[in-house]
Amino acid sequence: MQELNGLNDNIAVLKQEILDGAEKLGSSKELYEFKKTYVDGKNGKVNQLMKEMRNIPADQKAAYGKSVNELKSWAQEFLGGLDEKMKKMELEKRYEAEQVDISMPAVKKIPGNLHPITQMRNQLIDVFAGMGFEIYEGSEVETDYYNFTALNTPQDHPARDMQDTFYLSPEFLLRTQTSAGQIHVMENRKPPIKILSPGKVFRSDDDATHSPMFSQMEGLVVDKGITLCDLQGMLDEFVKKIYGEGTRTRLRPSYFPFTEPSVEVDCSCFECGGKGCKLCKGTGWIEVLGAGVVNKKVLENCGIDSDVYSGFAFGIGIERTAMLKYGINNIKMLFESDLRVLKQLND
Ligand code: PHE
């Protein structure tokens, strides 16, 4: 009987231990470990008490077992309730911490835009692609032959002075004009030819309207019976699409060694409609590109029979077109990557 009282004391001590221990628990995670130590599993301290059963006289086994079972269900209920309470509190704390302030102003998203030169290039491509032109992208490093000689500009030709050239060696140079691509195309294809060649070109030239690197868009059409009229008709379409429906063109005689006749193409001023303003310097006209009928010598240099075929070519300055369109007076603005400028130039 004495022994049984001792064992019953153990039950009371364990209960107190659980009560004291539970008070110190700081989280449901700690409670989980605590439950493992006391009630869960065979090795839980409460279940250990059952092992004492063999030391208990047969007539008292039932009473002892009942007390241990009572402790067990009490502990399960007590700790289960505590678990629920703790989890609820923890959830509330989490909600509190993760609360969203819906009155806070949203973070401003600043969408990017394509660089104005890329936009201009894409617009030009769109216009000419609609007329059936194909893109040909040549290389930026060229030989003297493709950039000059084959374009009817042999060594010592005075027209070489029109373009100050960056030579890499006596033979190689950075192309000064996308016209170099004309030769590659005509050497490799039979007419009809209708290509558009956008790309970077390089000249030792640097002021408010010139940069040592800039972009051009070359156009070349070669077929039977092509004349200057075809060029003008196509350019009329081009200026209307880029500068607006009311825009007209006019051709002025000019000189390029690879075209004969050569023309400078003006369009009526889209700012003042031709009356005369600051943009057109009071003339009512703005120069937009150089063009002409492909020189017979150039066709022959590429093995195309100039008695059968003829063609026209034109070269547009992309930066210049963008500057006119967006009213920029310094080409450097397009190359300085100043977001305050670039963000405003978005169509
Ligand atoms: N390549 C000439 C230039 O850069 C422009 C041009 C192209 C003129 C095609 C006529 C024909 O100035």
Side-chain angles (χ1 to χ4, degrees), residues 245-266:
E245 268 307 307
T247 319
R248 287 162 296 124
T249 57
R250 98 177 161 180
L251 307 186
R252 276 182 296 114
S254 183
Y255 175 76
F256 298 105
F258 38 89
T259 46
E260 183 56 38
S262 299
V263 291
E264 211 70 67
V265 181
D266 295 342

Side-chain angles (χ1 to χ4, degrees), residues 113-123 242-243 270-271 279 318-330 333-334 341-347:
N113 56 268
L114 291 176
H115 192 279
I117 296 175
T118 309
Q119 291 181 44
M120 199 68 246
R121 176 182 183 272
N122 291 350
Q123 282 174 28
I242 295 290
Y243 295 113
F270 43 86
E271 190 74 21
L279 184 69
I318 300 182
E319 284 80 2
R320 191 179 146 70
T321 312
M323 285 166 76
L324 288 170
K325 186 163 178 183
Y326 298 118
I328 300 169
N329 51 22
N330 193 325
M333 281 192 175
L334 291 172
V341 173
L342 298 183
K343 269 199 298 198
Q344 292 178 52
L345 308 179
N346 191 15
D347 276 347

Side-chain angles (χ1 to χ4, degrees), residues 79-91:
L79 296 177
L82 194 61
D83 188 46
E84 220 171 89
K85 239 193 275 170
M86 274 185 157
K87 283 195 172 141
K88 206 173 146 201
M89 254 169 56
E90 281 167 0
L91 204 64

Side-chain angles (χ1 to χ4, degrees), residues 192-255:
I193 290 170
K194 209 169 180 188
I195 59 110
L196 196 62
S197 185
K200 292 194 185 94
V201 297
F202 307 83
R203 290 181 199 176
S204 180
D205 207 352
D206 198 5
D207 60 35
T209 52
H210 296 90
S211 151
M213 186 280 291
F214 62 104
S215 327
Q216 286 188 333
M217 177 89 69
E218 189 87 5
L220 173 70
V221 175
V222 182
D223 204 351
K224 285 178 183 155
I226 297 289
T227 69
L228 199 63
C229 291
D230 298 307
L231 171 69
Q232 181 151 24
M234 192 212 63
L235 291 174
D236 279 341
E237 267 312 293
F238 156 69
V239 296
K240 278 185 194 144
K241 292 232 167 77
I242 295 290
Y243 295 113
E245 268 307 307
T247 319
R248 287 162 296 124
T249 57
R250 98 177 161 180
L251 307 186
R252 276 182 296 114
S254 183
Y255 175 76

Side-chain angles (χ1 to χ4, degrees), residues 27-28 44 61 64 159 229 233 249 272 315 329 342:
S27 67
S28 59
K61 277 190 199 294
Y64 179 74
C229 291
T249 57
C272 63
N329 51 22
L342 298 183

